[in-house]
Short mmCIF file of all heavy atoms in Angstrom, two decimals:
data_model
loop_
_atom_site.label_atom_id
_atom_site.label_comp_id
_atom_site.label_asym_id
_atom_site.label_seq_id
_atom_site.Cartn_x
_atom_site.Cartn_y
_atom_site.Cartn_z
N LEU A 27 85.99 7.35 -51.97
CA LEU A 27 86.00 8.86 -52.00
C LEU A 27 84.55 9.33 -51.96
O LEU A 27 84.29 10.30 -51.23
CB LEU A 27 86.68 9.28 -53.20
CG LEU A 27 87.05 10.74 -53.36
CD1 LEU A 27 88.36 10.98 -54.14
CD2 LEU A 27 85.84 11.51 -53.98
N VAL A 28 83.66 8.73 -52.75
CA VAL A 28 82.25 9.17 -52.70
C VAL A 28 81.72 8.96 -51.31
O VAL A 28 80.95 9.78 -50.74
CB VAL A 28 81.45 8.41 -53.82
CG1 VAL A 28 79.96 8.73 -53.56
CG2 VAL A 28 81.93 8.70 -55.16
N GLN A 29 82.06 7.81 -50.70
CA GLN A 29 81.51 7.45 -49.35
C GLN A 29 81.99 8.42 -48.34
O GLN A 29 81.25 8.84 -47.53
CB GLN A 29 81.94 6.07 -49.07
CG GLN A 29 81.28 4.97 -49.78
CD GLN A 29 81.73 3.57 -49.44
OE1 GLN A 29 82.96 3.37 -49.13
NE2 GLN A 29 80.97 2.58 -49.43
N LEU A 30 83.27 8.86 -48.42
CA LEU A 30 83.85 9.76 -47.45
C LEU A 30 83.11 11.12 -47.48
O LEU A 30 82.70 11.60 -46.45
CB LEU A 30 85.28 9.99 -47.63
CG LEU A 30 85.97 10.97 -46.59
CD1 LEU A 30 85.78 10.45 -45.20
CD2 LEU A 30 87.48 11.06 -46.99
N VAL A 31 82.89 11.61 -48.70
CA VAL A 31 82.25 12.90 -48.79
C VAL A 31 80.82 12.81 -48.31
O VAL A 31 80.33 13.77 -47.62
CB VAL A 31 82.26 13.44 -50.30
CG1 VAL A 31 81.44 14.64 -50.47
CG2 VAL A 31 83.74 13.66 -50.72
N THR A 32 80.15 11.76 -48.64
CA THR A 32 78.83 11.45 -48.14
C THR A 32 78.74 11.46 -46.59
O THR A 32 77.87 12.07 -45.98
CB THR A 32 78.23 10.14 -48.76
OG1 THR A 32 78.16 10.19 -50.12
CG2 THR A 32 76.82 9.88 -48.20
N LEU A 33 79.62 10.68 -46.02
CA LEU A 33 79.62 10.58 -44.55
C LEU A 33 79.87 11.95 -43.94
O LEU A 33 79.22 12.26 -42.98
CB LEU A 33 80.78 9.69 -44.17
CG LEU A 33 80.78 9.10 -42.72
CD1 LEU A 33 79.45 8.28 -42.43
CD2 LEU A 33 81.96 8.24 -42.44
N ILE A 34 80.77 12.80 -44.48
CA ILE A 34 81.05 14.09 -43.92
C ILE A 34 79.84 15.02 -44.09
O ILE A 34 79.45 15.73 -43.25
CB ILE A 34 82.35 14.72 -44.59
CG1 ILE A 34 83.47 13.99 -44.05
CG2 ILE A 34 82.41 16.20 -44.22
CD1 ILE A 34 84.77 14.39 -44.70
N ARG A 35 79.22 15.06 -45.26
CA ARG A 35 78.16 15.93 -45.57
C ARG A 35 76.89 15.58 -44.61
O ARG A 35 76.28 16.45 -44.11
CB ARG A 35 77.80 15.88 -46.96
CG ARG A 35 78.79 16.51 -47.97
CD ARG A 35 78.29 16.68 -49.31
NE ARG A 35 77.09 17.51 -49.40
CZ ARG A 35 77.17 18.84 -49.41
NH1 ARG A 35 78.36 19.45 -49.34
NH2 ARG A 35 76.05 19.57 -49.41
N MET A 36 76.65 14.24 -44.44
CA MET A 36 75.51 13.92 -43.71
C MET A 36 75.71 14.05 -42.22
O MET A 36 74.77 14.02 -41.39
CB MET A 36 75.07 12.44 -44.09
CG MET A 36 74.56 12.24 -45.45
SD MET A 36 73.91 10.61 -45.82
CE MET A 36 72.46 10.55 -44.79
N GLY A 37 77.02 14.10 -41.77
CA GLY A 37 77.26 14.33 -40.35
C GLY A 37 77.00 15.75 -39.93
O GLY A 37 77.02 15.99 -38.73
N ILE A 38 76.72 16.66 -40.83
CA ILE A 38 76.46 18.02 -40.58
C ILE A 38 75.14 18.46 -41.36
O ILE A 38 75.18 19.06 -42.41
CB ILE A 38 77.61 18.92 -40.83
CG1 ILE A 38 78.86 18.54 -40.14
CG2 ILE A 38 77.22 20.43 -40.51
CD1 ILE A 38 80.11 19.41 -40.58
N PRO A 39 74.02 17.93 -40.89
CA PRO A 39 72.73 18.07 -41.67
C PRO A 39 72.37 19.59 -41.77
O PRO A 39 72.61 20.28 -40.79
CB PRO A 39 71.77 17.27 -40.94
CG PRO A 39 72.23 17.15 -39.55
CD PRO A 39 73.78 17.16 -39.70
N THR A 40 71.74 19.96 -42.83
CA THR A 40 71.30 21.24 -43.03
C THR A 40 70.06 21.54 -42.11
O THR A 40 69.93 22.62 -41.46
CB THR A 40 70.79 21.52 -44.48
OG1 THR A 40 72.01 21.33 -45.40
CG2 THR A 40 70.23 22.95 -44.70
N ASP A 41 69.19 20.54 -41.97
CA ASP A 41 68.04 20.76 -41.08
C ASP A 41 68.01 19.56 -40.14
O ASP A 41 67.24 18.61 -40.37
CB ASP A 41 66.76 20.72 -41.93
CG ASP A 41 65.49 21.07 -41.18
OD1 ASP A 41 65.63 21.59 -40.04
OD2 ASP A 41 64.42 20.73 -41.62
N PRO A 42 68.79 19.63 -39.08
CA PRO A 42 68.89 18.42 -38.18
C PRO A 42 67.59 18.11 -37.42
O PRO A 42 66.92 19.14 -36.97
CB PRO A 42 69.97 18.87 -37.15
CG PRO A 42 69.99 20.42 -37.18
CD PRO A 42 69.58 20.74 -38.60
N PRO A 43 67.26 16.99 -37.27
CA PRO A 43 66.04 16.59 -36.47
C PRO A 43 66.24 16.96 -35.05
O PRO A 43 67.33 17.11 -34.51
CB PRO A 43 65.93 15.06 -36.69
CG PRO A 43 67.26 14.64 -37.05
CD PRO A 43 67.89 15.79 -37.77
N ASN A 44 65.12 16.98 -34.24
CA ASN A 44 65.17 17.48 -32.83
C ASN A 44 66.05 16.45 -32.03
O ASN A 44 66.79 16.94 -31.18
CB ASN A 44 63.72 17.40 -32.24
CG ASN A 44 62.88 18.58 -32.75
OD1 ASN A 44 63.38 19.51 -33.20
ND2 ASN A 44 61.56 18.32 -32.70
N GLU A 45 66.07 15.27 -32.39
CA GLU A 45 66.87 14.26 -31.60
C GLU A 45 68.33 14.62 -31.74
O GLU A 45 69.17 14.42 -30.76
CB GLU A 45 66.67 12.79 -32.16
CG GLU A 45 65.35 12.20 -31.80
CD GLU A 45 64.17 12.58 -32.80
OE1 GLU A 45 64.51 13.53 -33.70
OE2 GLU A 45 63.11 12.02 -32.84
N TYR A 46 68.87 15.13 -32.95
CA TYR A 46 70.25 15.55 -33.05
C TYR A 46 70.57 16.67 -32.06
O TYR A 46 71.66 16.64 -31.44
CB TYR A 46 70.50 15.98 -34.41
CG TYR A 46 70.68 14.90 -35.48
CD1 TYR A 46 70.16 13.60 -35.32
CD2 TYR A 46 71.36 15.07 -36.64
CE1 TYR A 46 70.25 12.68 -36.19
CE2 TYR A 46 71.41 14.14 -37.67
CZ TYR A 46 70.82 12.94 -37.49
OH TYR A 46 70.97 11.96 -38.37
N LEU A 47 69.68 17.65 -32.00
CA LEU A 47 69.85 18.77 -31.20
C LEU A 47 69.91 18.51 -29.79
O LEU A 47 70.82 18.98 -29.02
CB LEU A 47 68.79 19.90 -31.47
CG LEU A 47 68.69 20.32 -32.90
CD1 LEU A 47 67.49 21.29 -33.16
CD2 LEU A 47 69.98 21.00 -33.38
N VAL A 48 69.00 17.73 -29.23
CA VAL A 48 69.09 17.20 -27.93
C VAL A 48 70.26 16.44 -27.63
O VAL A 48 70.95 16.50 -26.55
CB VAL A 48 67.86 16.33 -27.58
CG1 VAL A 48 67.89 15.74 -26.22
CG2 VAL A 48 66.62 17.15 -27.79
N MET A 49 70.77 15.56 -28.63
CA MET A 49 71.92 14.74 -28.33
C MET A 49 73.15 15.59 -28.03
O MET A 49 73.93 15.37 -27.17
CB MET A 49 72.09 13.98 -29.75
CG MET A 49 73.37 13.24 -29.82
SD MET A 49 73.50 12.31 -31.38
CE MET A 49 73.81 13.66 -32.57
N TYR A 50 73.34 16.75 -28.79
CA TYR A 50 74.48 17.59 -28.60
C TYR A 50 74.33 18.40 -27.33
O TYR A 50 75.34 18.60 -26.68
CB TYR A 50 74.74 18.45 -29.84
CG TYR A 50 75.35 17.72 -30.94
CD1 TYR A 50 74.64 17.55 -32.21
CD2 TYR A 50 76.60 17.03 -30.85
CE1 TYR A 50 75.11 16.82 -33.27
CE2 TYR A 50 77.12 16.34 -31.94
CZ TYR A 50 76.43 16.28 -33.17
OH TYR A 50 76.96 15.54 -34.21
N GLU A 51 73.17 18.96 -27.13
CA GLU A 51 72.86 19.80 -26.02
C GLU A 51 73.05 19.02 -24.58
O GLU A 51 73.49 19.63 -23.63
CB GLU A 51 71.56 20.40 -25.98
CG GLU A 51 71.28 21.43 -24.95
CD GLU A 51 69.88 22.00 -24.86
OE1 GLU A 51 69.09 21.74 -25.75
OE2 GLU A 51 69.53 22.70 -23.86
N SER A 52 72.85 17.81 -24.60
CA SER A 52 72.92 17.02 -23.36
C SER A 52 74.24 16.39 -23.08
O SER A 52 74.31 15.55 -22.15
CB SER A 52 71.78 15.92 -23.46
OG SER A 52 72.05 15.11 -24.58
N ILE A 53 75.18 16.73 -23.76
CA ILE A 53 76.61 16.20 -23.50
C ILE A 53 76.97 16.44 -21.98
O ILE A 53 77.57 15.42 -21.45
CB ILE A 53 77.66 16.90 -24.45
CG1 ILE A 53 77.48 16.32 -25.84
CG2 ILE A 53 79.07 16.54 -23.94
CD1 ILE A 53 78.38 16.97 -26.94
N ALA A 54 76.69 17.53 -21.45
CA ALA A 54 77.05 17.82 -20.04
C ALA A 54 76.35 16.78 -19.08
O ALA A 54 76.86 16.40 -18.07
CB ALA A 54 76.71 19.20 -19.63
N THR A 55 75.14 16.35 -19.47
CA THR A 55 74.41 15.41 -18.70
C THR A 55 75.09 14.09 -18.66
O THR A 55 75.19 13.45 -17.65
CB THR A 55 72.96 15.26 -19.26
OG1 THR A 55 72.27 16.52 -19.21
CG2 THR A 55 72.17 14.24 -18.41
N PHE A 56 75.64 13.73 -19.89
CA PHE A 56 76.29 12.39 -19.92
C PHE A 56 77.52 12.46 -19.16
O PHE A 56 77.97 11.44 -18.50
CB PHE A 56 76.71 12.03 -21.46
CG PHE A 56 75.52 12.18 -22.33
CD1 PHE A 56 75.62 12.64 -23.62
CD2 PHE A 56 74.26 11.73 -21.92
CE1 PHE A 56 74.55 12.63 -24.45
CE2 PHE A 56 73.20 11.77 -22.78
CZ PHE A 56 73.35 12.14 -24.07
N ARG A 57 78.29 13.58 -19.09
CA ARG A 57 79.51 13.63 -18.40
C ARG A 57 79.27 13.48 -16.86
O ARG A 57 80.17 13.01 -16.14
CB ARG A 57 80.31 14.96 -18.62
CG ARG A 57 80.79 15.08 -19.91
CD ARG A 57 81.69 16.42 -20.17
NE ARG A 57 82.78 16.41 -19.29
CZ ARG A 57 82.97 17.22 -18.20
NH1 ARG A 57 82.05 18.08 -17.90
NH2 ARG A 57 84.04 17.15 -17.48
N ALA A 58 78.05 13.97 -16.45
CA ALA A 58 77.76 13.99 -14.96
C ALA A 58 77.25 12.63 -14.51
O ALA A 58 77.04 12.45 -13.28
CB ALA A 58 76.85 15.06 -14.71
N ASN A 59 76.87 11.74 -15.44
CA ASN A 59 76.24 10.50 -15.06
C ASN A 59 77.13 9.27 -15.58
O ASN A 59 77.09 9.00 -16.72
CB ASN A 59 74.88 10.39 -15.60
CG ASN A 59 74.02 9.22 -15.04
OD1 ASN A 59 74.54 8.15 -14.84
ND2 ASN A 59 72.74 9.53 -14.78
N GLU A 60 77.76 8.65 -14.62
CA GLU A 60 78.72 7.57 -15.06
C GLU A 60 77.97 6.38 -15.71
O GLU A 60 78.60 5.68 -16.54
CB GLU A 60 79.45 7.13 -13.89
CG GLU A 60 80.47 8.02 -13.26
CD GLU A 60 81.28 7.51 -12.23
OE1 GLU A 60 81.13 6.37 -11.78
OE2 GLU A 60 82.14 8.24 -11.67
N ASP A 61 76.73 6.20 -15.48
CA ASP A 61 75.94 5.13 -16.03
C ASP A 61 75.82 5.29 -17.57
O ASP A 61 75.59 4.48 -18.36
CB ASP A 61 74.49 5.01 -15.34
CG ASP A 61 74.65 4.51 -14.02
OD1 ASP A 61 75.69 3.84 -13.60
OD2 ASP A 61 73.69 4.79 -13.28
N PHE A 62 75.79 6.62 -17.95
CA PHE A 62 75.60 6.92 -19.32
C PHE A 62 76.77 6.82 -20.19
O PHE A 62 76.83 6.65 -21.43
CB PHE A 62 75.06 8.39 -19.51
CG PHE A 62 73.58 8.56 -18.94
CD1 PHE A 62 73.14 9.89 -18.90
CD2 PHE A 62 72.86 7.52 -18.52
CE1 PHE A 62 71.84 10.11 -18.38
CE2 PHE A 62 71.62 7.72 -17.96
CZ PHE A 62 71.11 9.00 -17.91
N LEU A 63 77.97 6.97 -19.49
CA LEU A 63 79.26 7.10 -20.32
C LEU A 63 79.55 5.88 -21.19
O LEU A 63 79.90 6.02 -22.36
CB LEU A 63 80.39 7.26 -19.30
CG LEU A 63 80.42 8.69 -18.59
CD1 LEU A 63 81.62 8.78 -17.66
CD2 LEU A 63 80.38 9.82 -19.59
N PRO A 64 79.37 4.56 -20.66
CA PRO A 64 79.61 3.46 -21.54
C PRO A 64 78.66 3.46 -22.83
O PRO A 64 79.02 3.02 -23.92
CB PRO A 64 79.29 2.24 -20.65
CG PRO A 64 79.53 2.78 -19.23
CD PRO A 64 78.95 4.18 -19.29
N VAL A 65 77.43 3.90 -22.60
CA VAL A 65 76.46 3.86 -23.69
C VAL A 65 76.92 4.90 -24.78
O VAL A 65 76.93 4.58 -25.96
CB VAL A 65 75.09 4.27 -23.18
CG1 VAL A 65 74.12 4.29 -24.38
CG2 VAL A 65 74.54 3.26 -22.17
N MET A 66 77.27 6.06 -24.43
CA MET A 66 77.67 7.16 -25.22
C MET A 66 79.02 6.77 -25.94
O MET A 66 79.22 7.08 -27.13
CB MET A 66 77.69 8.52 -24.65
CG MET A 66 76.45 8.92 -24.00
SD MET A 66 74.95 8.56 -24.96
CE MET A 66 75.14 9.58 -26.36
N ALA A 67 79.87 6.19 -25.20
CA ALA A 67 81.24 5.70 -25.75
C ALA A 67 80.97 4.82 -26.83
O ALA A 67 81.69 4.86 -27.89
CB ALA A 67 82.11 5.14 -24.68
N GLN A 68 80.05 3.82 -26.74
CA GLN A 68 79.83 2.82 -27.73
C GLN A 68 79.24 3.49 -28.93
O GLN A 68 79.50 3.07 -30.11
CB GLN A 68 78.88 1.72 -27.24
CG GLN A 68 78.58 0.59 -28.23
CD GLN A 68 79.91 -0.10 -28.65
OE1 GLN A 68 80.67 -0.63 -27.89
NE2 GLN A 68 80.14 -0.13 -29.95
N LEU A 69 78.30 4.35 -28.68
CA LEU A 69 77.61 5.03 -29.89
C LEU A 69 78.64 5.97 -30.58
O LEU A 69 78.65 5.81 -31.89
CB LEU A 69 76.52 5.89 -29.37
CG LEU A 69 75.31 5.18 -28.73
CD1 LEU A 69 74.33 6.17 -28.15
CD2 LEU A 69 74.60 4.40 -29.80
N SER A 70 79.59 6.55 -29.92
CA SER A 70 80.67 7.23 -30.66
C SER A 70 81.54 6.38 -31.41
O SER A 70 82.04 6.65 -32.49
CB SER A 70 81.54 8.06 -29.75
OG SER A 70 80.69 9.11 -29.02
N LEU A 71 81.89 5.18 -30.85
CA LEU A 71 82.73 4.21 -31.54
C LEU A 71 82.02 3.66 -32.78
O LEU A 71 82.71 3.47 -33.81
CB LEU A 71 82.99 2.99 -30.58
CG LEU A 71 83.95 1.89 -31.10
CD1 LEU A 71 85.29 2.43 -31.53
CD2 LEU A 71 84.06 0.80 -30.08
N ASP A 72 80.72 3.49 -32.78
CA ASP A 72 80.07 3.11 -33.98
C ASP A 72 80.26 4.11 -35.04
O ASP A 72 80.41 3.81 -36.25
CB ASP A 72 78.49 2.85 -33.60
CG ASP A 72 78.27 1.67 -32.70
OD1 ASP A 72 79.13 0.80 -32.65
OD2 ASP A 72 77.16 1.61 -32.10
#
C-alpha cells in the first residue's frame, strides 16, 4: 500500500526535470518514427 502511493505520487512530480517534459512533448515524434516505437514500448513496459 505504501509502495503504491509512492509510485503514484512520484509519477506526477511537482517540479519535473527537463527530461520529463521533453519525454512527454515528443510523443508525436515517436509515433512518426517506427524505429523509436520498440524502444518506447519497452520503456513503457518497464
Side-chain angles (χ1 to χ4, degrees):
L27 190 148
V28 174
Q29 291 178 322
L30 179 60
V31 174
T32 300
L33 196 61
I34 289 174
R35 292 190 60 82
M36 293 187 70
I38 306 177
T40 299
D41 186 20
N44 289 337
E45 289 86 350
Y46 285 20
L47 300 176
V48 174
M49 174 179 73
Y50 286 117
E51 186 183 351
S52 56
I53 287 175
T55 301
F56 305 144
R57 289 185 67 248
N59 191 321
E60 292 185 358
D61 292 337
F62 293 173
L63 294 180
V65 177
M66 304 317 296
Q68 182 59 55
L69 293 172
S70 294
L71 181 60
D72 291 342

